Amino acid sequence: MFRSKGWYLNNPLCRKFINICILFSLAFAFTIPEADAQNNPLRFVWKKLELDGQGPFADREFVSLIYDSKRNRLILFGGGLHGRNYNDIWAVDLDKNTWTKLEAIGARGEIPEPRAMHSAAYIPESDRMVVFGSDGTGLMFADYNVYSFDLKTSRWSVIKTKGEHHPRMVRTAMLYIGDEKILLFGGCLTPFGNLHGAGSINQITLFDLKTGQWTKIESKGDIPPPHTNPAVALDRRNHRAIMFMGSTFTDRESYLSEVYVLDLRNWTWTKLQTKNPPSARGYVGHALLEDLNRLIIFGGWDGNWQRQSALGETYSLNLDTLEWEKLEFTGSLPSPRAPFTAASDGKRMFIYGGWAGVPRWGSLYNDVWELSYEK
């Protein structure tokens, strides 16, 4: 006896059996990723970059470092030590693993004087690096110019500015927030914080690269205390800046372990109530790994003058759960260090230089390390 095509769809028992199979299939499909996540947790890896070519000599601190996404390279500028500053520019080609010194050009007065403790930001739309601030060493007066370095032609220029900004020279967080606008937060007037009453500040200033306009921003909410060397990263998906608070100069230098978020749409600060935070520290390297929604910090200094050595732990803050985690590694690791400089492409963190201890104790490094992760 031949049954018509699709006869099983009209049979109640067959339909019930098919529905049960579908439910089991869906349940199995949705439980597999969870099992994989448990059995295969994230694996973070530090790797020292073995670079060919002559890089900068290990006689500088407080350099700036950016990631040039169009050429997959790092750009290092300036830095100095014991009153001797530099204004040279070096590139690390991450495809070829090579150091290259860039020969900068520019008219007189448009090439920045040698400097350290300055800030720099990468502007992808206009393919340039922007530099602001200086420790003042070797300069006759405070330099409040904003310098632009064309990453295609290696030409320096000075951006004409207008408007008023809070005077600051050093240790300022500079963050590119898109639309040719730069946000500056914190910093101090002198390299040594409270010297002559020039302590840390907590003023936000916005700079428009198109118009050269400085604008003071009146923020609200959980406004963080005055700060130097803040570690600030851009959370593009949520239109906010995320800041790890480290060192602050008021009556004396002190250290914190707090995280603040600034909503870039309404300039409102929120202090995050994180779980299991690391001990208080400043001068950390940091990056926001966008795919993971995690803030990474490494190294730093906690003010322990008896120990003198810098810190060498790596911590991860899950921005979904607000829980800190101390990361564990196998294999080689960067030496503890502070202060040093860091940059990120959103998936990796790169660090350069730093001291083995503070104040200026032990070895001064000129190595480059990469932190990446595997799922």
Side-chain angles (χ1 to χ4, degrees), residues 1 84-85 375:
M1 179 178 179
R84 181 181 180 183
N85 286 350
K375 292 185 178 181

Side-chain angles (χ1 to χ4, degrees), residues 102-280:
L102 303 184
E103 298 300 328
I105 57 177
R108 184 176 181 181
E110 294 194 328
I111 298 178
E113 296 291 328
R115 63 195 56 219
M117 300 187 188
H118 54 281
S119 305
Y122 172 61
I123 318 299
E125 292 87 346
S126 49
D127 198 17
R128 57 178 164 168
M129 173 179 70
V130 173
V131 172
F132 174 79
S134 169
D135 63 352
T137 301
L139 302 180
M140 297 301 293
F141 50 86
D143 186 354
Y144 294 121
N145 286 333
V146 181
Y147 296 91
S148 174
F149 180 73
D150 189 311
L151 292 165
K152 183 178 181 180
T153 65
S154 295
R155 176 176 290 277
W156 282 106
S157 60
V158 175
I159 301 174
K160 293 182 179 180
T161 65
K162 55 187 177 181
E164 183 184 2
H165 68 91
H166 195 294
R168 67 189 89 190
M169 288 180 64
V170 297
R171 304 184 182 189
T172 298
M174 177 186 278
L175 183 67
Y176 179 62
I177 61 174
D179 193 28
E180 295 282 316
K181 290 183 173 63
I182 288 176
L183 180 147
L184 279 78
F185 174 79
C188 52
L189 182 59
T190 73
F192 304 105
N194 201 41
L195 184 65
H196 306 306
S200 306
I201 62 174
N202 61 351
Q203 173 67 48
I204 299 174
T205 308
L206 195 67
F207 183 69
D208 190 320
L209 292 165
K210 295 178 182 176
T211 65
Q213 179 71 47
W214 285 107
T215 304
K216 286 186 178 181
I217 301 298
E218 297 299 329
S219 60
K220 54 189 176 181
D222 305 327
I223 298 176
H227 201 68
T228 56
N229 305 297
V232 184
L234 178 65
D235 181 359
R236 290 181 290 186
R237 284 182 293 188
N238 297 301
H239 306 287
R240 60 182 185 170
I242 300 172
M243 180 176 69
F244 176 81
M245 297 286 288
S247 61
T248 181
F249 283 101
T250 49
D251 294 332
R252 60 184 179 85
E253 186 172 25
S254 58
Y255 299 89
L256 302 169
S257 182
E258 299 173 346
V259 180
Y260 288 80
V261 168
L262 176 65
D263 190 317
L264 299 174
R265 293 163 294 193
N266 55 26
W267 306 113
T268 300
W269 287 102
T270 301
K271 182 180 179 181
L272 299 184
Q273 301 301 318
T274 63
K275 308 166 190 174
N276 306 314
S279 60

